[in-house]
Amino acid sequence: MSYVDGFVAAVPTANKAAYIEHARIAAGVFRAHGALEVVECWGDDVPEGTVTSFPMAVKCQPEETVVFSWIVWPSRAVRDTGLPKVMADPRLQPDTNPMPFDGKRMIFGGFDMVVQES
């Protein structure tokens, strides 16, 4: 089965257009280096929890919106080969395409896909 990298971040709501442009460029880079699919989702109904929640996890501030994203790779091996190339790609360097959010509060991880139904 495929391999998935998942991300949750808090993005300043005023930076929505900049985030979408950044994400479009990044999606092309990830696909060029082996990713099958890149999905970016802008929070619409993301409630604050009492014990845990997406907003709490990324320390979302009132002027920010939670985003939820994932990248599908054919396998962990393809991801492990492609990801360093993505990070080195000139199109994603901070001076060329700065992240329009605080990357230190982003949560991310890699996951083995165990069920996929369409």
Side-chain angles (χ1 to χ4, degrees):
M1 283 202 140
S2 300
Y3 194 78
V4 176
D5 281 323
F7 308 88
V8 179
V11 177
T13 305
N15 288 356
K16 182 177 182 180
Y19 180 81
I20 292 170
E21 180 59 22
H22 174 84
R24 285 182 201 274
I25 293 167
V29 173
F30 278 99
R31 300 236 343 156
H33 294 294
L36 300 174
E37 179 179 34
V38 178
V39 178
E40 296 281 351
C41 304
W42 190 262
D44 177 57
D45 182 19
V46 187
E48 182 76 37
T50 54
V51 177
T52 188
S53 66
F54 282 126
M56 292 169 70
V58 295
K59 298 182 180 180
C60 193
Q61 302 300 307
E63 71 283 354
E64 295 177 320
T65 300
V66 173
V67 297
F68 177 51
S69 311
W70 63 92
I71 302 167
V72 180
W73 300 89
S75 66
R76 166 103 190 245
V78 172
R79 181 268 213 153
D80 288 350
T81 300
L83 197 53
K85 294 174 185 175
V86 167
M87 295 298 122
D89 193 292
R91 294 171 287 179
L92 291 186
Q93 297 312 302
D95 58 330
T96 306
N97 189 11
M99 290 193 307
F101 61 95
D102 181 2
K104 292 182 217 129
R105 291 186 287 140
M106 181 172 60
I107 297 170
F108 56 92
F111 301 86
D112 282 320
M113 193 179 292
V114 295
V115 175
Q116 180 181 19
E117 297 201 23
S118 298

